[in-house]
Amino acid sequence: MKLQINALSKTYSNGVQALKDVSLTLNNGMFGLLGPNGAGKSSLMRTIATLQEADAGSIFLDDLDVINNKTQVRQLLGYLPQEFGVYPKISAERMLDHIAQLKGVGNAAERKDLVAALLDNVNLSKDRKKNLGTYSGGMKQRFGIAQALIGNPKLIIVDEPTAGLDPAERNRFYNLLSQLGENTIVILSTHIVEDVSTLCSNFAIICQGEVLYAGQPDAAVSEMEGKIFTKAIDKAELSFYQDDFTVISTQLKTGRLHIRILQDTDPGKGFVSATPNLEDVYFSNIATRVDVNTI
Ligand code: ADP
């Protein structure tokens, strides 16, 4: 499968341009769409999921014109939206059975097997009789993936799935997501760099509606080799350093501010060369757009 997004643009009626000429190519596997809040990730996800219109551009899933074949696309699609409401007084098992029925699995025995397999897949079998309202955030997200998997989707979209999960729940969710990617296209939208470095074979950085980078996480990090330098400074000195250097991130540790800068050559002045990571890639791409101290 291949998803080809070409020159997609969208301006909302309030004048906000959420997508500016977005072009991306996605193959099977897990694709991370990384960007700060308000970058346009949900707008892009919703457009691919056929839930809203773009003003210009095209999306093709292999030969299928997504924008003009919504019904067909929806049959191939699994979608876990950012705001995933559940009916609190119904069990996971009953809800999945109901959704499977809506998605056209008419045979009750077949549905029973499908629901059992899905619950097992997302590790919710023992909690299947509990009402969804009693589920933790992580359990709700795993239930969300189970419902998105009904009908063997070829394209799975998960919008900010790990926001609000505690570290253990996030780990469990990572394990689940990492099993999905091989024969399907999975698009994972997130503002959490770790989601991408842990899960994704390809990714793009999006900010203010524009694609700033697209490629493989490892290659992106390699490109930063020898260009990241770090130094501990007094907090009050930050603005001086910001005048002289491209400060891409700051971290307060035991009263000192540890800054990381991007520079082609050794800056001297007490800076030490640092091993680059995906956060450096992310912050250096968005640093010119967003004040990194507010992220
Ligand atoms: P992200 O998912 O990366 O946080 P969004 O796609 O939700 O970004 O939002 C991109 C921009 O579009 C933001 O400035 C947001 O306020 C704006 N926006 C999103 N949805 C709407 C809408 N329905 N009407 C008007 N503006 C919107």
Side-chain angles (χ1 to χ4, degrees):
M1 277 271 164
K2 186 174 185 176
L3 185 74
Q4 188 87 48
I5 300 163
N6 284 313
L8 210 63
S9 290
K10 170 74 180 178
T11 302
Y12 287 110
S13 53
N14 62 358
V16 173
Q17 194 175 1
L19 299 174
K20 297 177 193 165
D21 203 21
V22 168
S23 295
L24 287 169
T25 303
L26 284 70
N27 294 302
N28 281 346
M30 190 82 76
F31 186 93
L33 189 68
L34 183 62
N37 288 331
K41 302 183 296 297
S42 292
S43 299
L44 181 57
M45 305 283 97
R46 288 196 303 260
T47 312
I48 300 168
T50 74
L51 298 174
Q52 72 177 48
E53 302 283 336
D55 302 328
S58 66
I59 306 172
F60 278 85
L61 185 60
D62 286 341
D63 294 331
L64 184 64
D65 178 348
V66 169
I67 290 172
N68 294 309
N69 292 282
K70 294 191 173 57
T71 309
Q72 271 167 280
V73 172
R74 286 173 194 168
Q75 284 162 2
L76 300 168
L77 178 75
Y79 181 47
L80 175 57
Q82 194 170 353
E83 299 286 324
F84 181 64
V86 291
Y87 292 98
K89 295 224 163 118
I90 190 168
S91 73
E93 189 175 46
R94 273 193 60 203
M95 192 67 210
L96 286 178
D97 182 75
H98 178 64
I99 297 169
Q101 209 165 359
L102 291 179
K103 284 203 180 175
V105 188
N107 180 304
E110 195 184 321
R111 253 187 354 257
K112 193 161 181 261
D113 290 347
L114 172 68
V115 168
L118 285 166
L119 286 165
D120 186 46
N121 199 350
V122 300
N123 206 9
L124 286 174
S125 295
K126 78 172 170 43
D127 300 303
R128 68 187 186 281
K129 304 271 185 216
K130 289 187 186 153
N131 285 349
L132 291 168
T134 67
Y135 273 22
S136 70
M139 289 162 82
K140 276 185 197 146
Q141 289 298 62
R142 282 184 280 137
F143 171 80
I145 281 290
Q147 63 79 29
L149 288 175
I150 294 174
N152 285 324
K154 296 284 168 263
L155 174 64
I156 299 172
I157 295 177
V158 282
D159 198 352
E160 300 266 0
T162 65
L165 300 189
D166 70 35
E169 285 178 332
R170 176 171 300 175
N171 257 334
R172 248 176 263 137
F173 198 66
Y174 280 164
N175 285 335
L176 173 61
L177 284 180
S178 62
Q179 293 160 20
L180 300 181
E182 285 182 13
N183 300 312
T184 40
I185 300 173
V186 182
I187 313 177
L188 172 85
S189 119
T190 183
H191 63 273
I192 299 167
V193 178
E194 191 197 351
D195 288 354
V196 174
S197 51
T198 308
L199 293 169
C200 299
S201 46
N202 285 279
F203 81 117
I205 297 172
I206 176 171
C207 191
Q208 296 170 349
E210 286 178 72
V211 175
L212 303 182
Y213 186 95
Q216 297 176 335
D218 291 352
V221 172
S222 296
E223 286 167 23
M224 294 266 143
E225 208 67 61
K227 295 183 184 172
I228 301 294
F229 299 90
T230 178
K231 184 176 178 182
I233 64 168
D234 284 336
K235 215 176 155 200
E237 298 172 313
L238 178 62
S239 61
F240 299 112
Y241 283 91
Q242 281 173 324
D243 289 343
D244 289 348
F245 301 103
T246 308
V247 178
I248 56 169
S249 62
T250 64
Q251 193 181 18
L252 201 56
K253 272 190 233 163
T254 55
R256 300 279 282 169
L257 194 64
H258 291 249
I259 61 172
R260 288 170 87 84
I261 65 164
L262 173 73
Q263 181 144 316
D264 285 340
T265 52
D266 191 337
K269 295 187 180 165
F271 277 96
V272 182
S273 176
T275 307
N277 55 42
L278 201 61
E279 279 202 351
D280 295 325
V281 174
Y282 178 52
F283 288 133
S284 60
N285 272 283
I286 67 169
T288 53
R289 311 283 183 124
V290 186
D291 180 356
V292 291
N293 293 307
T294 63
I295 294 170

